[in-house]
Amino acid sequence: MIQLGGTMEDTIAAIATAYGEGGIGIIRISGPEAKSILDKLFIPKNLEITEHIANRRLYYGNVVDKAKNQRIDEVLAVFMNGPRTYTAEDVAEIYCHGSIISLRKILDLALQHGARLAEKGEFTKRAFLNGRLDLTQAEAVIDVIRAKTEKGFHVAVDQMEGALSEKIRSLRSIIMDLLVDVTVNLDYPDEDIEELTYDALEKSLMLINDNIDRLLATADTGRIIREGLHVAIIGKPNVGKSSLMNALLKESRAIVTEIPGTTRDTIEEVLTIQDIPVRLVDTAGIRETEDVIEKIGIEKSKESFNKADLVIFMIDGSRPLSEEDFRIINHIDDNKTIVMINKTDLGQTVSDQEIKSLLPGAATIKAAIREDKGIEELEQKILSLVYGGKVKQEESLLITNVRHYNLLRSAKEASKDALDMARNREALDFIEVDIKRCWELLGEIIGDSVTEDIIDQVFERFCLGK
């Protein structure tokens, strides 16, 4: 177990619910003095003086500032003996009215009676340090709290329950078996043991590489489910960008007029498309203009679609492509573009073949936004792009965390280096170093081999009280 400056011996306390008005607020106390502190500030009703607060039993009573002979609030309270608690320590919780005044007064009393204010994420950090959660499970706690969609929530819950941890541990077990074989062949070459051939070594390393590759392949989808898909709507003025945004949002968020250049700045909204979070940006129409304010908006538009995960390029299909359309085409990446040929209800002048020749990697959709034509197809196309056109991955095995992704990439590099050396029949001593490095990097994901600095960085993302 890692010890951080002896702080594990402290008893900590914090408000565990969000600030603001609410029916109920919770103060959590964790550590060796949790029971003692609860006894000092909580007086149960209908409990004989000779009786004591029992383990895991909910009591009704009052929090009292005995020094001032002042009742603070009418509450429910419970004491839970460790290690079968969230932090694996003794824990007391007080459920009071959700007034910020009541919460602060009760927390102040807990601090006066010997607790110290918990740091960000310190309750979950203690759960990790005490072995109740591994690091991926601990990180998933904050993902559950911050989940934007039902899908993101379920991915986080699966990881909190250990789905990703189990996969990493299984992979590390395969690597350890290989590492043992390599070490035995190095240290005891004259003993009567089965010789590890380079062919067998290659086969094992290829299996390890394939397993890491499958995890890495889920990272783009995982990031989108966690953070959202950044989608920019671009095109020259008056092709229907604002109308598309309003249609997707199902409300009139952007101003729609027949006057070109109405949208002067980027407008950003968040929505969900079949449970995929989408950050939708309606950009200013890109054209030559002398209007200073409009010029600023156009520059923002270019910046926005350069950063976007997906670009929806809208054209007026009832008219030939203009110089402004060609200027935009020269700036966009067709591999992350959907071309919406809008206003097809007025007749289609721009052909599908013309778009295909200019943007061969782009998908095309025929649309008439004001008649709601093309919206459903666009939503399906976005969903398909999120999953790379493949069957949806098992949600529990999505890589949603940048730290996990970077460690997996480094582990893949180490295993690939080992594989290359095995193919070149290089010395086992060198191959052993990279295999061990791969095993250690995967261990950092679940926290089996991790530094204090990394732990601090992980839990700094948490809120107080969790």
Side-chain angles (χ1 to χ4, degrees):
M1 183 191 301
I2 301 169
Q3 295 288 346
L4 300 182
T7 57
M8 294 287 287
E9 298 176 2
D10 297 341
T11 297
I12 57 174
I15 298 170
T17 42
Y19 278 68
E21 289 185 4
I24 296 174
I26 302 172
I27 291 88
R28 177 178 287 157
I29 306 167
S30 179
E33 299 301 318
K35 176 70 161 54
S36 171
I37 291 169
L38 182 65
D39 286 337
K40 290 173 183 176
L41 57 82
F42 174 64
I43 299 178
K45 287 197 173 181
N46 304 321
L47 189 69
E48 297 294 332
I49 296 176
T50 55
E51 293 183 275
H52 298 283
I53 293 175
N55 182 42
R56 300 181 188 279
R57 182 175 176 182
L58 193 65
Y59 289 89
Y60 165 66
N62 293 301
V63 169
V64 175
D65 184 344
K66 295 177 182 177
K68 297 179 181 178
N69 195 27
Q70 179 184 36
R71 188 180 75 166
I72 303 300
D73 198 3
E74 186 179 38
V75 304
L76 295 172
V78 63
F79 170 73
M80 295 166 280
N81 203 13
R84 294 177 60 193
T85 63
Y86 181 72
T87 60
E89 302 174 328
D90 288 355
V91 171
E93 290 185 346
I94 299 169
Y95 310 94
C96 64
H97 293 98
S99 156
I100 191 61
I101 302 299
S102 175
L103 286 162
R104 283 178 176 170
K105 281 181 172 291
I106 296 171
L107 177 61
D108 285 344
L109 275 180
L111 300 181
Q112 289 173 30
H113 290 308
R116 69 164 171 81
L117 186 63
E119 299 171 1
K120 285 184 177 181
E122 191 169 0
F123 292 101
T124 306
K125 181 191 283 187
R126 289 187 174 206
F128 163 66
L129 295 174
N130 287 323
R132 202 187 77 78
L133 301 172
D134 67 33
L135 202 52
T136 58
Q137 291 174 300
E139 288 171 298
V141 171
I142 196 65
D143 292 338
V144 168
I145 294 169
R146 293 178 177 171
K148 298 180 179 68
T149 65
E150 186 175 348
K151 187 178 294 293
F153 176 80
H154 286 309
V155 169
V157 168
D158 284 341
Q159 293 194 2
M160 190 171 66
E161 292 177 350
L164 178 59
S165 305
E166 184 179 337
K167 179 67 177 177
I168 296 296
R169 284 197 172 88
S170 174
L171 184 51
R172 289 188 88 216
S173 178
I174 294 171
I175 297 170
M176 178 51 70
D177 289 342
L178 179 60
L179 195 56
V180 168
D181 287 342
V182 172
T183 303
V184 167
N185 275 265
L186 277 171
D187 293 346
Y188 306 100
D190 299 325
E191 297 294 327
D192 185 19
I193 56 173
E194 184 178 351
E195 182 182 356
L196 177 65
T197 66
Y198 277 101
D199 287 341
L201 184 56
E202 280 186 53
K203 186 177 179 181
S204 296
L205 287 168
M206 286 173 65
L207 174 64
I208 292 164
N209 274 351
D210 289 345
N211 273 278
I212 297 175
D213 279 339
R214 278 196 288 272
L215 286 172
L216 285 170
T218 69
D220 284 343
T221 299
R223 178 185 62 82
I224 287 166
I225 286 174
R226 185 185 184 203
E227 300 175 7
L229 183 71
H230 187 180
V231 178
I233 306 173
I234 68 169
K236 67 184 181 184
N238 208 29
V239 291
K241 299 186 299 299
S242 297
S243 295
L244 174 61
M245 186 173 201
N246 291 339
L248 289 169
L249 291 169
K250 297 177 175 58
E251 62 176 274
S252 295
R253 171 63 179 86
I255 300 171
V256 178
T257 74
E258 298 297 327
I259 304 169
T262 303
T263 302
R264 297 295 190 93
D265 198 355
T266 56
I267 299 171
E268 185 169 330
E269 291 288 342
V270 178
L271 68 151
T272 57
I273 295 177
Q274 295 200 29
D275 216 25
I276 297 296
V278 174
R279 304 186 71 84
L280 192 64
V281 180
D282 178 14
T283 64
I286 297 174
R287 63 172 180 169
E288 293 293 331
T289 179
E290 297 302 320
D291 187 307
V292 175
I293 295 175
E294 192 176 352
K295 277 184 176 180
I296 295 171
I298 290 168
E299 287 306 311
K300 281 190 175 183
S301 296
K302 292 177 180 177
E303 182 182 337
S304 179
F305 69 69
N306 285 332
K307 292 180 178 178
D309 297 308
L310 175 66
V311 171
I312 300 173
F313 173 35
M314 297 195 70
I315 62 172
D316 183 346
S318 67
R319 298 181 180 183
L321 292 176
S322 67
E323 185 180 336
E324 292 162 328
D325 291 315
F326 286 112
R327 189 179 295 114
I328 295 169
I329 288 169
N330 290 333
H331 282 89
I332 59 178
D333 178 357
D334 57 336
N335 291 313
K336 66 172 187 179
T337 299
I338 295 174
V339 180
M340 288 205 76
I341 306 173
N342 194 26
K343 304 187 181 181
T344 55
D345 53 321
L346 303 177
Q348 188 173 340
T349 301
V350 180
S351 69
D352 295 359
Q353 291 76 14
E354 186 177 2
I355 295 299
K356 199 68 179 174
S357 66
L358 293 167
L359 296 166
T364 59
I365 296 174
K366 296 178 183 179
I369 301 302
R370 293 198 175 184
E371 294 183 1
D372 209 27
K373 179 184 175 184
I375 302 299
E376 186 175 340
E377 186 180 351
L378 174 63
E379 291 178 346
Q380 289 300 320
K381 189 74 72 176
I382 289 173
L383 188 67
S384 174
L385 289 170
V386 167
Y387 289 103
K390 302 173 185 176
V391 177
K392 295 180 184 180
Q393 295 101 329
E394 286 295 323
E395 292 182 358
S396 59
L397 298 182
L398 291 178
I399 300 302
T400 60
N401 186 298
V402 174
R403 188 183 73 85
H404 302 167
Y405 176 72
N406 289 335
L407 287 168
L408 280 167
R409 282 185 60 187
S410 297
K412 172 64 189 300
E413 289 173 8
S415 66
K416 185 178 182 302
D417 287 344
L419 178 58
D420 289 342
M421 284 190 287
R423 285 171 174 164
N424 293 328
R425 302 304 191 251
E426 296 186 27
L428 288 180
D429 307 68
F430 301 126
I431 297 173
E432 181 189 32
V433 171
D434 281 317
I435 295 173
K436 187 174 182 182
R437 176 70 177 149
C438 178
W439 183 80
E440 288 173 345
L441 286 163
L442 293 175
E444 285 189 40
I445 294 175
I446 56 178
D448 280 7
S449 53
V450 68
T451 65
E452 288 186 19
D453 287 343
I454 296 297
I455 293 173
D456 289 340
Q457 288 172 25
V458 166
F459 291 102
E460 180 64 28
R461 298 170 49 234
F462 280 59
C463 50
L464 287 172
K466 196 61 182 177

